[in-house]
Amino acid sequence: MTPSLLAPGISAVIPVHRAEKSLPLLLPRLTAALQAIVPAYEIILVDDGSPDGSWSVIADAARDDRRGRGFRLMRHFGPHNALLVGIRAARFQYIVTLDDDLQNPPEEIARLVDGLTDDVDVVYGSPISEQHSLWRSAASRITKYALEEAMGTPAARSVSSFRVFRTDLRRAFERFQSPDMSVDVLLTWATNRFAAVRVRQEPRSQGRSNYTFGRLVQHATNMITGFTSRPLRIASTIGFLFTIFGIVVFAVVVIRFFVGGNSVPGFPFLASIIAIFAGVQLVILGIMGEYVARMHFRLMDRPTYVVGESTDDDSVS
């Protein structure tokens, strides 16, 4: 990789949603943690269409400290889309991303940075013990399976929102434009040198998680259909197997007719076969329809995000 032209230091990027109460607790700890690691840093807070007073907190923080920067999206686009705003705006050599709920302790950032050796470009903070409910943990496993398929690397099993990576990696996806995205998949477009370190995970300080079971499953579906063709290959395999099954059933019917002189009795059997084939066809059509819908949305040129307001002099494009 060519030498970076970015200034030495760390850009901390945080997607913010309904974090009016947690941000005043997070920012002092994050500032202290970054000051202990590097002399130069910035904190980029991206308000992802929060309905509460999160933007006021961000604007005040940026006004009180020049190293704080804020971007306000015009509506809720999703945490990964908000992250992309901060990643593209980062000015320093390394980027750290973390959630706004203090489940990722800022004091653990030093451990992630230490793992960023010469042969590693991305380091994930893998929780020692997750502070999630049973349903949330199940959804997280589904999402990680989908990411493993989309990323094509076992490192997906250690993926978390707490990560550090080299800012230069963003060149691989600087022209990316799609409403459905995953930062982790985009990072695989630039490197396959991933690592993970075990870190603490604390309970949420305020409110409820924005990553509900339904949203995580939806995110997993987006990853599977948006960044890999595996579902189409599975659909083709299923269709081929059921075609063979249909041929075998047809052969049995014909043989029984010529050998026994009559057809196979049993309407329920035939009705069941027809229902199975109809169900498989609908599933396959649904998978194909998902891909066609994504092509449709791409042709509509829907934006990945829209920045409505920024504490910088110039807004991010």
Side-chain angles (χ1 to χ4, degrees):
M1 185 176 291
T2 58
S4 175
L5 300 178
L6 295 161
I10 294 177
S11 296
V13 180
I14 305 172
V16 176
H17 189 68
R18 299 179 183 269
E20 179 183 7
K21 296 181 179 179
S22 62
L23 281 178
L25 304 176
L26 170 63
L27 293 177
R29 289 177 59 181
L30 179 58
T31 299
L34 293 174
Q35 288 176 341
I37 302 172
V38 290
Y41 66 89
E42 64 180 351
I43 299 175
I44 303 175
L45 301 165
V46 184
D47 182 8
D48 187 22
S50 298
D52 60 4
S54 297
W55 177 246
S56 297
V57 177
I58 293 172
D60 291 342
R63 184 166 50 251
D64 295 340
D65 189 341
R66 294 176 56 188
R67 290 168 295 192
R69 303 168 62 194
F71 299 90
R72 187 182 192 182
L73 304 188
M74 295 188 68
R75 66 170 179 83
H76 181 62
F77 284 87
H80 285 261
N81 303 60
L83 274 175
L84 188 59
V85 177
I87 291 171
R88 286 176 170 168
R91 298 168 177 169
F92 290 102
Q93 191 172 4
Y94 304 109
I95 293 176
V96 171
T97 69
L98 64 161
D99 290 336
D100 58 10
D101 55 10
L102 280 172
Q103 283 196 295
N104 306 137
E107 295 78 13
E108 297 283 82
I109 292 177
R111 300 191 61 192
L112 269 65
V113 174
D114 289 342
L116 204 62
T117 59
D118 291 338
D119 57 347
V120 174
D121 292 322
V122 183
V123 180
Y124 288 104
S126 181
I128 298 173
S129 61
E130 295 187 347
Q131 304 290 329
H132 297 320
S133 65
L134 178 63
W135 284 106
R136 168 67 190 279
S137 297
S140 295
R141 285 193 291 270
I142 294 173
T143 303
K144 288 182 180 180
Y145 170 77
L147 280 171
E148 187 172 356
E149 291 294 327
M151 294 173 65
T153 172
R157 300 169 189 170
S158 302
V159 163
S160 74
S161 56
F162 197 21
R163 57 175 87 78
V164 60
F165 56 91
R166 304 180 192 279
T167 306
D168 284 334
L169 298 181
R170 67 186 177 188
R171 290 182 296 179
F173 48 87
E174 60 186 355
R175 295 184 180 180
F176 179 82
Q177 183 76 10
S178 173
D180 299 314
M181 63 156 295
S182 168
V183 169
D184 303 298
V185 176
L186 295 184
L187 289 174
T188 64
W189 294 6
T191 184
N192 58 3
R193 304 193 303 178
F194 294 85
V197 297
R198 304 288 281 176
V199 297
R200 290 183 297 111
Q201 186 179 69
E202 299 178 352
R204 284 181 61 88
S205 60
Q206 303 285 337
R208 297 181 179 179
S209 174
N210 296 317
Y211 295 95
T212 62
F213 178 82
R215 287 183 178 177
L216 284 173
V217 171
Q218 182 181 6
H219 180 62
T221 303
N222 290 338
M223 295 308 96
I224 286 289
T225 57
F227 295 94
T228 176
S229 60
R230 176 65 64 88
L232 290 176
R233 293 196 295 270
I234 293 175
S236 299
T237 302
I238 293 174
F240 175 76
L241 292 176
F242 273 86
T243 300
I244 298 297
F245 178 68
I247 292 174
V248 171
V249 172
F250 178 74
V252 170
V253 171
V254 172
I255 293 172
R256 289 286 297 272
F257 176 77
F258 284 107
V259 172
N262 55 7
S263 60
V264 178
F267 174 76
F269 173 76
L270 295 177
S272 299
I273 296 299
I274 293 173
I276 291 173
F277 274 86
V280 171
Q281 289 175 352
L282 289 175
V283 169
I284 293 175
L285 286 174
I287 294 174
M288 296 176 63
E290 187 71 26
Y291 279 90
V292 172
R294 295 194 179 283
M295 294 173 60
H296 172 66
F297 287 130
R298 290 284 182 92
L299 291 174
M300 288 174 62
D301 200 23
R302 289 177 59 187
T304 308
Y305 56 79
V306 180
V307 177
E309 191 173 354
S310 169
T311 60
D312 287 359
D313 293 332
D314 297 319
S315 182
V316 174
S317 60

